[in-house]
Amino acid sequence: MSAVPQRQAVRQAIRQQLIWSRLLAVVEEQAQALIRTAFGTSTREAGDLSAGVFLPDGRMIAQAVTGTPGHVNSMADSVLHFLRAYPAETMRDGDVFITNDPWKGTGHLYDVVMVTPVFHLGKIVALFASTVHVVDIGGLGAGPDGLEIYHEGLFLPLLHFAREGVLEKSILAIVRANVREPEQVEGDLHALVACNAVGARRLQQLLREFALDDLQAQGDYIVERSARAMREALREWPKGTWHNHMTVDGYDTPLELHAAVTIDDEGVRVDFTGTSGTVPRGINVPKAYTDAYTSFGIRCLIGADVPNNSGSLAAIQVTAPEGSIVNALPPAAVTARSAIGQMLPDLVFGALRQARPDRVPAEGASALWNIHLVGGRPFPGGPNEALAKARRFAITSFTTGGTGARPGQDGLSATAYPSGVRNVSLEILETQAPLLFRRKEYRADSGGAGTQRGGLGQTIAVENADGAPMVLAASWDRVRFAPRGALGGSDGAKGQAWLEHSGTVLRGKGRQLIPAGEVLIVETPGGAGLGDPRARDPQRLARDLQAGLVTPENAALYQPETASSEVIA
Amino acid sequence: MSHAQSASKNVIRQQLAWNRLLSVVEEQAQTLIRTAFGTPTREAGDLSAGVFLPDGRMVAQAVTGTPGHVNAMAESVKHFLHAFPLETMRAGDVFLTNDPWKGTGHLFDMTMVTPVFRAGRAVALFAATVHVVDIGGIGSSPDGLEIYHEGLFLPILRFICEGKVDPAVLAIIHANVRDPAQVEGDLFALVACNEVGSRRLLTLMQEFALDDLNALGDYIIGQSARAMCNALADWPQGVWHNTLVADGYDAPITLTATVTISADGIDVDFAGTSGAVARGINVPKAYTDAYTSFGVRCLVGADVPNNAGSLAPIRVHAPAGCILNALHPAAVTARHVVGQLLPDVVFGALRQARPELVPAEGASSLWNLQLVGGEGLASASAADNAALRAGPRFNVISFSTGGTGARPGQDGLSVTAYPSGVRNVSLEILETQAPLVFDRKEFRTDSGGVGAARGGLGQVIEVRHADPSAALLIAAAFDRVHHPARGALGGLDGAPGRLQLASGATLQPKGRQVIPAGDRLIVETPGGGGLGLPAQRPAARIAQDLRHGLVTPEAAALYAGARAEAEAALQPSCP
């Protein structure tokens, strides 16, 4: 090969890498535009969103790192559904499409997905998609109490939200009539339109700057490079099939989650055969969300540094029997699908640990422990007069437990893995609702003991600042079944919640009354430990004791029985 | 031709046009019945149809239809005109809402409005309403706590824009209801019936060489208002009070009315009525207005056609936030349970003015059996939930009724929907629509209140799932279980309603409940109250009741006992 074509090839590769990086910056700016313009706290404060850019054939080529896997990876498929309903050649400049279909979007009605085609030189060159979790969508409201999707609020099938720049008035009118917070929801919808428009503008600039007619070649490059990187990453793993199963709380009866993970030349296959069936409560998981968290779990272990796109995701195939709780079909209720779906990385980890024990963390709290409180609205059985008089509010305090201990590192305390959302600061919540947070602190001893300790959960005490009754909509797991330790590590602490004065223990799932004057105490689960606790570095144990993360009573777990007194001394 | 002759010809012409207009809206209603998909419209006649002037005043209304729809729809058109002013309407536009506060009181009722154009000008609006089989949400039951639980809320929308259906609205409806094909069929039946009405109206206008309907409308409304004034002249002026206690959802509800007849009409004021509750039995004001004015018009000017003129002299007041003027976001699905008692409330006041004209209380609220299969229930046991989900999905309403109150000089009507006017749906139809077997449907002996005129009888219905291994749900919304229809002028109360399982358990009158696999639901609907002293009932009518099995010998003894007592009372006492 002569030097000139070789130099050209190198230049071409550099150029493509540059465009790729710029594309990642474009989607990041899209996500930031969404965060800065959205009205709802879940987007603004917790980062419960996603943003990405797609080829006209529906393949995702770049995705903002800001965002949750449940949104991102299911949105990746969502664009294909939009294109099936509205083929690319029928799309016009200025069109914007919308859905909150749990089966074609991101798994529950609260997530609104908006897709905007981008035109360059008169031709569709890409689609921007983004998702937010709106504060209300009508129906019963947050929580897993619905029996079927019809109970859970307004269902927007795949629709034109704007046609050639003109908003579809009827859709906005219907949305406003069906949600409890029309201003906030409308604000979020326009934020989605805006962030896609920002992305589109930046992309058009990029195309002009690099003198590209379209993104086809660049997209192929990104997808191909990423697929290759995944294949390379997979080479570090043995081939074979491994099984794991986990029991989770369920709504009122425990559920079994089963996974068989196979690594072969094609990639990774995950099969959930054997998993419990759907239940008449809102904890069922549409397949898109199962795919999202399963592939996220795998990609945390295999090719974690490969950017997320169709190429890197293609190596992972997920199958689940129709009608199982991880492939729930309409009209199943799905509002709190996160309570099950966010367990799937742990389920996959348990299988992959058998292949590479040195690479895999222990189980964590995993599913979010969001504290969803509602004021001023009726509750079956009352006290409805007092509730009706109280100030109206509905607030989600994004709340987390501890993550599982990691190879060589402790678990992260009070951290949302796998969802990646942030805790919303109490000061923000206290300005938005008549709530008074009395306590929010690490929950000592909740991290599972191990060579690496599990991350700690937290203790939160909250009351209604007006002394009024209010309603808790709980969708918490790990109350009956703790995060399990691995390789000799201990389990994390189970989560629990109760009322301070009466001592009433609350259920992990469902709407429950917090009577006037009561204080809600929530203790979120800790992550599990990894490796034999007795092998823990004594300095790290001493530091935990000093920091109050572990109490002297609990420190005994880390010592051979005969030597326990030394540490305490 | 003399002036007087020409005036009288004009009157005849206007009367002719009026009659034709009434047949136009009747044809509109018949088209709806013949094209609708849902049983409530097709079989039970739960619908309304009417024609309105461009300023929103109703000029004619089909007699086929329920007061809750008709009189609420009468106001509804004004809301449409407010949202979409006449000058923004185009030929081929059709507007839609199910807003309970701007339509007919709950999300199940779809109201469709179509403007009619002649020579480029809007000359009238046709409006029609049906009760669709499903609207999403928790379904048909009073269990919702707020409107958000009760299904899809369609604000006033342009459903069809110059002949082109808004695909988004249709797609959203499809996605949010459990039976999209039936609901869509009903929507297009509404479009069709308004269109038939429009076509007939244009023919009429051509035939009578009318450029617009304003003069004819003013005539109809003026004549009707005058007729109401004449009818009112038969009534004394004054103020009368009445109170009725209804079962409510879990606590009794007091309905209080003050009825004032004055020179310029009738005012009904519901001040003192209980507040709205956190269950779906609250009544939006439009529906309160509808049943109140219907009740009044049954007694005053009953033969005057229903339109803006005849309705105008009746003014209804209810404090905002009371159960008869429930505000958004109150739950309202079963608003009929309370609203259909309002004629009885009004009757109780007006009886004080003209005792000889007013019936006794009846079952009044419909006793519709809303039966659901294939869906779970939150409070049910795991076994019941499995049995509920074992059968196929279905959702049927068996429109069912109790007895009406005894009427002056006449017995109450047995198993008749007063005031709603809907028909019972035949069991054979229901059995083809859902896996149900009706084992029994018959008059409920002795349920009519004893009196000189006897209250109408309720009925006994027994129904079960055809598959003995499957359970079903009853979404109950029944009143008159704890508070029966009261007799008047010495007549006795009708029998209270009852709801139980063949296995023995008594069910709650309101809310979704399981009929377990292999069990059977037994419903006994309430009887109407009696009117006048039982002692005054003619012996021949008692004998006839006995012969027909409407009254058992034991109950007939009540009449004999009453007569003996009455006679004893008349005997001079011996010193």
Side-chain angles (χ1 to χ4, degrees), chain B residues 5 55 69 71-72 78 85 96 105 129 206 232 270 291 306 333 369 389 416 451 466-467 481 498 535 543:
Chain B
Q5 240 175 338
D55 61 9
H69 284 178
N71 292 0
K78 290 180 190 145
L96 169 69
T129 302
Q206 200 168 5
L232 259 172
F270 289 109
Y291 271 100
N306 211 38
T333 291
L369 308 188
R389 302 208 314 159
T416 295
D467 174 358
V481 170
R498 220 164 27 189

Side-chain angles (χ1 to χ4, degrees), chain B residues 187-266:
Chain B
L187 292 181
F188 285 106
L190 287 167
V191 173
C193 84
N194 284 356
E195 196 179 316
V196 166
S198 305
R199 251 190 336 245
R200 291 285 179 268
L201 177 67
L202 290 174
T203 312
L204 181 155
M205 291 176 75
Q206 200 168 5
E207 199 179 317
F208 285 78
L210 297 172
D211 286 341
D212 58 44
L213 278 182
N214 292 341
L216 178 61
D218 287 342
Y219 172 78
I220 290 173
I221 289 166
Q223 276 290 64
S224 306
R226 207 162 24 250
M228 272 301 281
C229 281
N230 293 344
L232 259 172
D234 292 341
W235 287 73
Q237 293 188 4
V239 180
W240 301 275
H241 300 273
N242 186 33
T243 289
L244 185 151
V245 178
D247 294 352
Y249 187 95
D250 39 25
I253 283 165
T254 303
L255 305 176
T256 299
T258 301
V259 180
T260 306
I261 299 183
S262 59
D264 62 345
I266 300 188

Side-chain angles (χ1 to χ4, degrees), chain B residues 9 50 76 107 117 122 136 141 203 232 366 376 386 404 447 467 511 565:
Chain B
K9 270 185 78 168
S76 180
L107 297 174
F117 291 83
S141 84
T203 312
L232 259 172
L366 283 167
T404 76
S447 58
D467 174 358
E565 258 176 52

